Amino acid sequence: MAGTQFTGPEICAKPAHEVVAMLTAGEVSPGELIDAAMTRIAEVEPAVNAVVTTCEARARAAVPDPAQADHAGWLAGLPIGIKDLTPVEGVRTTWGTLGYADHVPAASHPLVQRLEARGGVVLGKTNTPEMGAGANTFNAVFGATRNPWDTSRNAGGSSGGAAVSLATGELWLSHGSDLAGSLRTPAAFCGVVGFRPSPGLVSPGPSGNRFHPEAVQGPMARSVRDCALFLDAMAGFNPDWAISFPPPEEPFQQAVLRADEKVRIAFSPTLGGFAPCSAEVEALLRRALAQVARAGGVVEEDCPDLPGLDRAYRTLRGLLWISGTGREPEHIQRHYKPTLAQNIQQGRELTVDDVTHAHMVKSDLFDRMAAFLKQFDVLACSVVGLMPGPVEEEFPREMDGQPLTDYIDWLKFSFLSPTVGLPAVSVPVGLSETGLPVGIQLIGRPRGEARLLQVARAVEVACGGPLGPIDPMRSHG
């Protein structure tokens, strides 16, 4: 039994690893944490709309028995959030689309089963754009999720609800997924950490497409250390998934504890001219990396050539949409928003030459990145090239006066990692002059999660992080 009673704000603001230690020591109970989280959710949800479905009774009934638990990545009864693209047994799961608005799955996704076996207690589902498509979290089922740093702004996507649930202290850890920055963009916009692992470390992938490596699931947290804790809980070999592989023997948390300031970072604010970056974001990233250099790191401006990346990524993305979301029955697809329907149609129009080209480019880009990263720990670049826009705007149409072509053109910084299968993380590096957080993207070596987390921790320390949690704030304008 817990020996101390904690109020909601006090315990909700604590780091996840400290709360897990308190749970393990019996200083707080899972029931007290559920009480605190539900109180905090009730306080902030009217302003942000992040945790769209709660399952308090299920959570209380699912508190783990330590004697029967898998203690690898042990969460000890910590309440967590699951993105509303991932089924949880007996809990409404909508994929953000009207066709599934009342869907209640009979079984949990294998990742949810693993997290529960390792002591995670699912307390709620977090908001996502329809079918996870797009980097502004809104849908016709639940509406829009708002950025807590400025509730007139969007929270990014597609793991926008997850990011906001962390930034506001509703949850200590929250699960997400990533195809075009869906773990990284909302993390950058909301001042938290979003980690995209190598394909195969966190399993399984999309149902019915076990060999697909571009879409992955991963952890979000308020700090790098907490993100490593959640990754330890998620990671593990799954023989039912074709490309699964086991994590290293040393837990990621232990690797983070050995982090120091001696890091070697290559930096390119535009990925060698591949993606546009606003002057404001570039200045903030340069300021952050100057702090890393002053702390003892090495930062050099460099980037490999990335020929064919845009076309290859869009082809691989189109293949995913037509093999999954595009195969839903007509009574589901008729609700899809125009941008999602357009993406599926683009996938259907691909030729065998398009697919061949994408796989050849993918192989070439992997070789280029693997060789480049022998000289550096990470390649650093923007997460997105601009600050969060109005919540009502589905996607930006221009950046610093230059037009953007479509609803993923502004997400081009996210294309490299999924195309070549490298791990990547978004780390908060401070606030803009208007008080909005900005994140930097770090792309690591093949299956180099441990070193990537160490560099992320070095950046976090040099930049004075972590941030939050915060109370939702109205527009700064």
CSV table of all heavy atoms in Angstrom, one decimal, residues 129 132-136 154 156-158 178-182 184-186 189 271 274-276 309-310 313-314 317 343 381-386 394-396 399 404-418 441:
chain,number,residue,atom,x,y,z
A,129,PRO,N,-5.5,12.4,-36.2
A,129,PRO,CA,-6.2,12.7,-37.5
A,129,PRO,C,-6.8,11.4,-38.1
A,129,PRO,O,-6.3,10.3,-37.7
A,129,PRO,CB,-5.2,13.4,-38.4
A,129,PRO,CG,-3.9,13.0,-37.8
A,129,PRO,CD,-4.0,12.8,-36.4
A,132,GLY,N,-4.8,8.5,-39.1
A,132,GLY,CA,-3.4,8.9,-38.9
A,132,GLY,C,-2.8,9.7,-40.0
A,132,GLY,O,-1.6,10.0,-40.1
A,133,ALA,N,-3.6,10.2,-40.9
A,133,ALA,CA,-3.1,10.9,-42.1
A,133,ALA,C,-3.1,12.4,-41.9
A,133,ALA,O,-4.2,13.0,-41.6
A,133,ALA,CB,-4.0,10.6,-43.3
A,134,GLY,N,-1.9,13.0,-41.9
A,134,GLY,CA,-1.8,14.5,-41.7
A,134,GLY,C,-1.2,14.8,-40.4
A,134,GLY,O,-1.2,14.1,-39.5
A,135,ALA,N,-0.6,16.0,-40.4
A,135,ALA,CA,0.1,16.5,-39.2
A,135,ALA,C,-0.6,17.6,-38.5
A,135,ALA,O,0.0,18.4,-37.8
A,135,ALA,CB,1.5,16.9,-39.6
A,136,ASN,N,-1.9,17.6,-38.6
A,136,ASN,CA,-2.8,18.5,-37.7
A,136,ASN,C,-3.8,17.5,-37.2
A,136,ASN,O,-4.6,16.9,-37.9
A,136,ASN,CB,-3.4,19.6,-38.5
A,136,ASN,CG,-4.2,20.5,-37.6
A,136,ASN,OD1,-4.4,20.3,-36.4
A,136,ASN,ND2,-4.7,21.6,-38.2
A,154,ASN,N,-2.2,24.6,-33.7
A,154,ASN,CA,-2.4,23.1,-33.7
A,154,ASN,C,-1.3,22.4,-33.0
A,154,ASN,O,-0.2,23.0,-32.7
A,154,ASN,CB,-2.6,22.6,-35.2
A,154,ASN,CG,-1.3,22.5,-35.9
A,154,ASN,OD1,-0.4,21.7,-35.7
A,154,ASN,ND2,-1.1,23.4,-36.9
A,156,GLY,N,0.2,19.6,-34.0
A,156,GLY,CA,0.9,18.6,-34.9
A,156,GLY,C,0.2,17.3,-34.9
A,156,GLY,O,-0.8,17.1,-34.3
A,157,GLY,N,0.7,16.4,-35.7
A,157,GLY,CA,0.1,15.1,-35.8
A,157,GLY,C,1.1,14.1,-36.5
A,157,GLY,O,2.2,14.5,-36.9
A,158,SER,N,0.7,12.8,-36.5
A,158,SER,CA,-0.6,12.4,-36.1
A,158,SER,C,-0.7,12.0,-34.6
A,158,SER,O,-1.9,11.8,-34.2
A,158,SER,CB,-1.0,11.2,-37.0
A,158,SER,OG,-0.2,10.1,-36.8
A,178,ASP,N,4.5,6.6,-36.3
A,178,ASP,CA,5.2,7.5,-37.2
A,178,ASP,C,5.3,6.9,-38.6
A,178,ASP,O,5.9,5.8,-38.8
A,178,ASP,CB,6.5,7.8,-36.6
A,178,ASP,CG,7.3,9.0,-37.3
A,178,ASP,OD1,7.5,8.8,-38.5
A,178,ASP,OD2,7.6,9.9,-36.6
A,179,LEU,N,4.9,7.7,-39.6
A,179,LEU,CA,5.2,7.4,-41.0
A,179,LEU,C,5.8,8.7,-41.6
A,179,LEU,O,6.8,8.6,-42.3
A,179,LEU,CB,3.9,7.1,-41.8
A,179,LEU,CG,4.0,6.9,-43.3
A,179,LEU,CD1,5.0,5.8,-43.7
A,179,LEU,CD2,2.7,6.7,-43.9
A,180,ALA,N,5.2,9.8,-41.4
A,180,ALA,CA,5.8,11.1,-41.9
A,180,ALA,C,5.9,12.1,-40.7
A,180,ALA,O,5.4,13.2,-40.7
A,180,ALA,CB,4.9,11.7,-43.0
A,181,GLY,N,6.6,11.6,-39.7
A,181,GLY,CA,6.9,12.5,-38.6
A,181,GLY,C,5.9,12.5,-37.5
A,181,GLY,O,5.8,13.4,-36.7
A,182,SER,N,5.0,11.5,-37.5
A,182,SER,CA,3.8,11.5,-36.6
A,182,SER,C,4.2,11.4,-35.1
A,182,SER,O,3.4,11.7,-34.2
A,182,SER,CB,2.9,10.4,-36.9
A,182,SER,OG,2.2,10.7,-38.1
A,184,ARG,N,7.4,12.7,-34.3
A,184,ARG,CA,8.4,13.8,-34.2
A,184,ARG,C,7.7,15.2,-34.3
A,184,ARG,O,8.1,16.1,-33.5
A,184,ARG,CB,9.4,13.6,-35.3
A,184,ARG,CG,10.3,12.3,-35.1
A,184,ARG,CD,11.0,11.9,-36.3
A,184,ARG,NE,10.2,11.3,-37.3
A,184,ARG,CZ,10.5,11.1,-38.6
A,184,ARG,NH1,11.6,11.6,-39.0
A,184,ARG,NH2,9.7,10.5,-39.4
A,185,THR,N,6.8,15.4,-35.2
A,185,THR,CA,6.2,16.7,-35.4
A,185,THR,C,5.4,17.2,-34.2
A,185,THR,O,5.7,18.3,-33.6
A,185,THR,CB,5.3,16.8,-36.6
A,185,THR,OG1,6.1,16.5,-37.8
A,185,THR,CG2,4.7,18.1,-36.8
A,186,PRO,N,4.5,16.4,-33.6
A,186,PRO,CA,3.8,16.8,-32.4
A,186,PRO,C,4.7,17.0,-31.2
A,186,PRO,O,4.5,17.9,-30.4
A,186,PRO,CB,2.7,15.8,-32.2
A,186,PRO,CG,3.2,14.6,-32.9
A,186,PRO,CD,4.0,15.1,-34.1
A,189,PHE,N,6.2,20.5,-31.7
A,189,PHE,CA,5.2,21.5,-31.5
A,189,PHE,C,4.8,21.7,-30.0
A,189,PHE,O,4.4,22.7,-29.6
A,189,PHE,CB,4.0,21.3,-32.3
A,189,PHE,CG,4.1,21.7,-33.8
A,189,PHE,CD1,5.3,22.1,-34.3
A,189,PHE,CD2,3.0,21.6,-34.6
A,189,PHE,CE1,5.4,22.5,-35.6
A,189,PHE,CE2,3.1,22.0,-36.0
A,189,PHE,CZ,4.3,22.4,-36.5
A,271,LEU,N,18.6,19.9,-44.7
A,271,LEU,CA,19.0,18.6,-45.3
A,271,LEU,C,19.6,18.8,-46.6
A,271,LEU,O,19.3,18.1,-47.6
A,271,LEU,CB,17.8,17.6,-45.3
A,271,LEU,CG,17.4,16.9,-44.0
A,271,LEU,CD1,16.3,15.9,-44.3
A,271,LEU,CD2,18.6,16.1,-43.5
A,274,PHE,N,17.2,20.0,-49.3
A,274,PHE,CA,16.1,19.1,-49.7
A,274,PHE,C,14.7,19.7,-49.2
A,274,PHE,O,13.7,19.6,-49.9
A,274,PHE,CB,16.3,17.7,-49.1
A,274,PHE,CG,15.1,16.8,-49.2
A,274,PHE,CD1,14.7,16.3,-50.4
A,274,PHE,CD2,14.3,16.5,-48.1
A,274,PHE,CE1,13.6,15.5,-50.5
A,274,PHE,CE2,13.2,15.7,-48.2
A,274,PHE,CZ,12.8,15.2,-49.4
A,275,ALA,N,14.7,20.4,-48.1
A,275,ALA,CA,13.4,20.8,-47.5
A,275,ALA,C,13.6,22.3,-47.1
A,275,ALA,O,14.6,22.7,-46.6
A,275,ALA,CB,13.1,19.9,-46.3
A,276,PRO,N,12.5,23.0,-47.2
A,276,PRO,CA,12.5,24.4,-46.8
A,276,PRO,C,12.4,24.6,-45.3
A,276,PRO,O,11.7,23.8,-44.6
A,276,PRO,CB,11.3,25.0,-47.5
A,276,PRO,CG,10.3,23.9,-47.6
A,276,PRO,CD,11.2,22.7,-47.8
A,309,LEU,N,15.1,11.3,-52.9
A,309,LEU,CA,14.4,11.0,-51.7
A,309,LEU,C,12.9,11.3,-51.8
A,309,LEU,O,12.0,10.5,-51.3
A,309,LEU,CB,15.0,11.8,-50.6
A,309,LEU,CG,14.3,11.7,-49.2
A,309,LEU,CD1,14.1,10.3,-48.7
A,309,LEU,CD2,15.1,12.6,-48.2
A,310,ASP,N,12.5,12.5,-52.3
A,310,ASP,CA,11.1,12.9,-52.3
A,310,ASP,C,10.2,11.9,-53.1
A,310,ASP,O,9.2,11.4,-52.5
A,310,ASP,CB,11.0,14.3,-52.9
A,310,ASP,CG,9.6,14.8,-52.8
A,310,ASP,OD1,9.2,15.2,-51.7
A,310,ASP,OD2,8.9,14.8,-53.8
A,313,TYR,N,10.1,8.4,-51.2
A,313,TYR,CA,9.3,8.4,-50.0
A,313,TYR,C,7.8,8.4,-50.4
A,313,TYR,O,7.0,7.6,-49.8
A,313,TYR,CB,9.6,9.6,-49.1
A,313,TYR,CG,8.5,9.6,-48.0
A,313,TYR,CD1,8.6,8.8,-46.9
A,313,TYR,CD2,7.4,10.5,-48.1
A,313,TYR,CE1,7.6,8.8,-45.9
A,313,TYR,CE2,6.4,10.5,-47.1
A,313,TYR,CZ,6.6,9.7,-46.0
A,313,TYR,OH,5.6,9.7,-45.1
A,314,ARG,N,7.4,9.2,-51.3
A,314,ARG,CA,6.0,9.3,-51.7
A,314,ARG,C,5.5,8.0,-52.3
A,314,ARG,O,4.3,7.6,-52.1
A,314,ARG,CB,5.8,10.5,-52.6
A,314,ARG,CG,6.0,11.9,-52.0
A,314,ARG,CD,5.9,13.0,-53.0
A,314,ARG,NE,6.2,14.3,-52.4
A,314,ARG,CZ,5.2,15.1,-51.9
A,314,ARG,NH1,3.9,14.7,-52.0
A,314,ARG,NH2,5.5,16.3,-51.3
A,317,ARG,N,5.1,5.6,-49.4
A,317,ARG,CA,3.9,6.0,-48.6
A,317,ARG,C,2.6,5.6,-49.3
A,317,ARG,O,1.7,5.1,-48.7
A,317,ARG,CB,3.9,7.5,-48.4
A,317,ARG,CG,2.7,8.1,-47.7
A,317,ARG,CD,2.8,9.7,-47.7
A,317,ARG,NE,1.6,10.3,-47.1
A,317,ARG,CZ,1.5,10.5,-45.8
A,317,ARG,NH1,2.5,10.3,-45.0
A,317,ARG,NH2,0.4,11.1,-45.3
A,343,ASN,N,-4.4,10.8,-51.2
A,343,ASN,CA,-3.2,10.0,-51.0
A,343,ASN,C,-3.4,8.5,-51.5
A,343,ASN,O,-2.5,7.9,-52.1
A,343,ASN,CB,-2.8,10.0,-49.5
A,343,ASN,CG,-1.4,10.4,-49.3
A,343,ASN,OD1,-0.9,10.4,-48.2
A,343,ASN,ND2,-0.7,10.9,-50.3
A,381,CYS,N,18.8,18.0,-37.9
A,381,CYS,CA,18.1,18.9,-38.9
A,381,CYS,C,16.8,19.4,-38.2
A,381,CYS,O,16.5,19.1,-37.1
A,381,CYS,CB,17.8,18.2,-40.2
A,381,CYS,SG,16.7,16.8,-40.1
A,382,SER,N,16.0,20.1,-39.0
A,382,SER,CA,14.7,20.5,-38.5
A,382,SER,C,13.8,19.3,-38.3
A,382,SER,O,14.0,18.3,-39.0
A,382,SER,CB,14.1,21.5,-39.5
A,382,SER,OG,14.9,22.6,-39.8
A,383,VAL,N,12.8,19.4,-37.4
A,383,VAL,CA,11.7,18.5,-37.4
A,383,VAL,C,10.7,18.9,-38.4
A,383,VAL,O,10.2,18.1,-39.2
A,383,VAL,CB,11.1,18.4,-36.0
A,383,VAL,CG1,10.0,17.4,-36.0
A,383,VAL,CG2,12.1,18.1,-34.9
A,384,VAL,N,10.3,20.1,-38.4
A,384,VAL,CA,9.5,20.8,-39.4
A,384,VAL,C,10.1,22.2,-39.5
A,384,VAL,O,10.7,22.7,-38.6
A,384,VAL,CB,8.0,20.9,-39.0
A,384,VAL,CG1,7.3,19.6,-39.1
A,384,VAL,CG2,7.9,21.4,-37.5
A,385,GLY,N,9.9,22.7,-40.7
A,385,GLY,CA,10.6,24.0,-41.0
A,385,GLY,C,9.8,25.3,-40.6
A,385,GLY,O,10.3,26.4,-40.9
A,386,LEU,N,8.8,25.1,-39.8
A,386,LEU,CA,8.0,26.3,-39.4
A,386,LEU,C,7.4,26.0,-38.0
A,386,LEU,O,7.3,24.9,-37.6
A,386,LEU,CB,7.0,26.7,-40.4
A,386,LEU,CG,5.7,25.9,-40.6
A,386,LEU,CD1,4.8,26.5,-41.6
A,386,LEU,CD2,5.9,24.4,-40.9
A,394,GLU,N,-5.7,23.1,-42.0
A,394,GLU,CA,-5.3,21.6,-42.1
A,394,GLU,C,-3.8,21.5,-42.3
A,394,GLU,O,-3.2,20.6,-41.7
A,394,GLU,CB,-6.1,21.0,-43.2
A,394,GLU,CG,-5.8,19.5,-43.3
A,394,GLU,CD,-6.6,18.7,-44.4
A,394,GLU,OE1,-7.4,19.4,-45.0
A,394,GLU,OE2,-6.4,17.5,-44.5
A,395,PHE,N,-3.3,22.3,-43.2
A,395,PHE,CA,-1.8,22.3,-43.5
A,395,PHE,C,-1.4,23.6,-44.1
A,395,PHE,O,-2.2,24.3,-44.7
A,395,PHE,CB,-1.5,21.1,-44.4
A,395,PHE,CG,-2.1,21.2,-45.8
A,395,PHE,CD1,-1.5,21.8,-46.8
A,395,PHE,CD2,-3.4,20.6,-46.0
A,395,PHE,CE1,-2.1,21.9,-48.1
A,395,PHE,CE2,-4.0,20.6,-47.2
A,395,PHE,CZ,-3.4,21.3,-48.3
A,396,PRO,N,-0.2,24.0,-43.9
A,396,PRO,CA,0.3,25.3,-44.4
A,396,PRO,C,0.4,25.3,-45.9
A,396,PRO,O,0.7,24.3,-46.5
A,396,PRO,CB,1.6,25.5,-43.7
A,396,PRO,CG,2.1,24.2,-43.4
A,396,PRO,CD,0.9,23.3,-43.1
A,399,MET,N,5.7,29.0,-46.9
A,399,MET,CA,6.7,29.1,-45.8
A,399,MET,C,7.6,30.3,-46.2
A,399,MET,O,8.2,30.2,-47.2
A,399,MET,CB,7.5,27.8,-45.6
A,399,MET,CG,8.5,27.9,-44.5
A,399,MET,SD,9.4,26.4,-44.4
A,399,MET,CE,8.2,25.1,-44.3
A,404,LEU,N,3.9,26.0,-50.8
A,404,LEU,CA,4.1,24.5,-50.6
A,404,LEU,C,3.0,23.8,-51.4
A,404,LEU,O,1.9,24.3,-51.6
A,404,LEU,CB,3.9,24.2,-49.1
A,404,LEU,CG,4.9,24.9,-48.1
A,404,LEU,CD1,4.5,24.7,-46.7
A,404,LEU,CD2,6.3,24.4,-48.4
A,405,THR,N,3.4,22.6,-51.9
A,405,THR,CA,2.6,22.0,-53.0
A,405,THR,C,1.4,21.2,-52.5
A,405,THR,O,0.3,21.2,-53.2
A,405,THR,CB,3.5,21.1,-53.9
A,405,THR,OG1,4.1,20.1,-53.1
A,405,THR,CG2,4.5,22.0,-54.6
A,406,ASP,N,1.5,20.5,-51.4
A,406,ASP,CA,0.4,19.7,-50.9
A,406,ASP,C,0.5,19.5,-49.4
A,406,ASP,O,1.3,20.1,-48.7
A,406,ASP,CB,0.4,18.3,-51.6
A,406,ASP,CG,1.7,17.5,-51.4
A,406,ASP,OD1,2.4,17.8,-50.4
A,406,ASP,OD2,2.0,16.6,-52.2
A,407,TYR,N,-0.3,18.6,-48.9
A,407,TYR,CA,-0.5,18.5,-47.4
A,407,TYR,C,0.7,17.8,-46.7
A,407,TYR,O,0.7,17.7,-45.5
A,407,TYR,CB,-1.8,17.9,-47.1
A,407,TYR,CG,-1.9,16.4,-46.9
A,407,TYR,CD1,-2.2,15.9,-45.6
A,407,TYR,CD2,-1.7,15.5,-47.9
A,407,TYR,CE1,-2.3,14.5,-45.4
A,407,TYR,CE2,-1.8,14.1,-47.7
A,407,TYR,CZ,-2.1,13.6,-46.5
A,407,TYR,OH,-2.2,12.3,-46.3
A,408,ILE,N,1.6,17.2,-47.4
A,408,ILE,CA,2.8,16.7,-46.8
A,408,ILE,C,4.1,17.4,-47.2
A,408,ILE,O,5.2,17.0,-46.7
A,408,ILE,CB,3.0,15.1,-47.0
A,408,ILE,CG1,3.1,14.8,-48.5
A,408,ILE,CG2,1.8,14.4,-46.4
A,408,ILE,CD1,3.5,13.3,-48.7
A,409,ASP,N,4.0,18.4,-48.1
A,409,ASP,CA,5.2,19.1,-48.5
A,409,ASP,C,6.0,19.7,-47.4
A,409,ASP,O,7.2,19.8,-47.4
A,409,ASP,CB,4.8,20.1,-49.6
A,409,ASP,CG,6.0,20.5,-50.5
A,409,ASP,OD1,6.8,19.6,-50.8
A,409,ASP,OD2,6.1,21.6,-50.9
A,410,TRP,N,5.2,20.2,-46.4
A,410,TRP,CA,5.9,20.9,-45.2
A,410,TRP,C,6.5,19.9,-44.2
A,410,TRP,O,7.1,20.2,-43.3
A,410,TRP,CB,4.9,21.8,-44.5
A,410,TRP,CG,3.8,21.1,-43.8
A,410,TRP,CD1,2.7,20.4,-44.4
A,410,TRP,CD2,3.5,21.0,-42.4
A,410,TRP,NE1,1.9,19.9,-43.4
A,410,TRP,CE2,2.3,20.3,-42.2
A,410,TRP,CE3,4.2,21.5,-41.3
A,410,TRP,CZ2,1.8,20.1,-40.9
A,410,TRP,CZ3,3.7,21.3,-40.0
A,410,TRP,CH2,2.5,20.6,-39.9
A,411,LEU,N,6.3,18.6,-44.5
A,411,LEU,CA,6.8,17.5,-43.6
A,411,LEU,C,8.0,16.8,-44.2
A,411,LEU,O,8.4,15.7,-43.7
A,411,LEU,CB,5.7,16.5,-43.3
A,411,LEU,CG,4.4,17.0,-42.8
A,411,LEU,CD1,3.4,15.9,-42.7
A,411,LEU,CD2,4.7,17.6,-41.4
A,412,LYS,N,8.7,17.4,-45.2
A,412,LYS,CA,9.8,16.7,-45.9
A,412,LYS,C,11.0,16.3,-45.0
A,412,LYS,O,11.7,15.4,-45.3
A,412,LYS,CB,10.2,17.6,-47.1
A,412,LYS,CG,9.2,17.7,-48.2
A,412,LYS,CD,9.6,18.6,-49.3
A,412,LYS,CE,10.7,18.0,-50.2
A,412,LYS,NZ,10.9,18.8,-51.4
A,413,PHE,N,11.2,17.0,-43.9
A,413,PHE,CA,12.2,16.6,-43.0
A,413,PHE,C,12.0,15.2,-42.4
A,413,PHE,O,12.9,14.6,-41.9
A,413,PHE,CB,12.4,17.6,-41.8
A,413,PHE,CG,13.0,19.0,-42.3
A,413,PHE,CD1,12.1,20.1,-42.4
A,413,PHE,CD2,14.3,19.1,-42.6
A,413,PHE,CE1,12.7,21.3,-42.9
A,413,PHE,CE2,14.8,20.3,-43.0
A,413,PHE,CZ,14.0,21.4,-43.2
A,414,SER,N,10.7,14.8,-42.4
A,414,SER,CA,10.4,13.5,-41.8
A,414,SER,C,10.7,12.3,-42.8
A,414,SER,O,10.6,11.2,-42.4
A,414,SER,CB,9.0,13.5,-41.3
A,414,SER,OG,8.1,13.5,-42.5
A,415,PHE,N,10.9,12.6,-44.1
A,415,PHE,CA,10.9,11.6,-45.1
A,415,PHE,C,12.2,10.7,-45.0
A,415,PHE,O,12.1,9.5,-45.3
A,415,PHE,CB,10.9,12.2,-46.5
A,415,PHE,CG,9.7,12.9,-46.9
A,415,PHE,CD1,8.6,13.1,-46.0
A,415,PHE,CD2,9.6,13.4,-48.2
A,415,PHE,CE1,7.5,13.8,-46.4
A,415,PHE,CE2,8.4,14.0,-48.6
A,415,PHE,CZ,7.4,14.2,-47.7
A,416,LEU,N,13.3,11.2,-44.6
A,416,LEU,CA,14.6,10.4,-44.6
A,416,LEU,C,14.6,9.2,-43.7
A,416,LEU,O,14.9,8.1,-44.2
A,416,LEU,CB,15.7,11.4,-44.3
A,416,LEU,CG,17.1,10.7,-44.3
A,416,LEU,CD1,17.4,10.1,-45.7
A,416,LEU,CD2,18.2,11.7,-43.9
A,417,SER,N,14.2,9.4,-42.5
A,417,SER,CA,14.3,8.3,-41.5
A,417,SER,C,13.4,7.1,-41.9
A,417,SER,O,13.9,6.0,-42.0
A,417,SER,CB,13.8,8.8,-40.1
A,417,SER,OG,13.8,7.7,-39.2
A,418,PRO,N,12.1,7.2,-42.3
A,418,PRO,CA,11.4,6.1,-42.7
A,418,PRO,C,11.8,5.5,-44.0
A,418,PRO,O,11.7,4.2,-44.2
A,418,PRO,CB,9.9,6.6,-42.8
A,418,PRO,CG,10.0,8.1,-42.9
A,418,PRO,CD,11.3,8.4,-42.2
A,441,GLN,N,15.5,17.6,-34.8
A,441,GLN,CA,15.5,16.2,-35.1
A,441,GLN,C,16.9,15.7,-35.2
A,441,GLN,O,17.8,16.3,-35.8
A,441,GLN,CB,14.8,16.0,-36.5
A,441,GLN,CG,14.8,14.5,-36.9
A,441,GLN,CD,14.0,14.3,-38.2
A,441,GLN,OE1,13.7,13.2,-38.5
A,441,GLN,NE2,13.8,15.4,-39.0
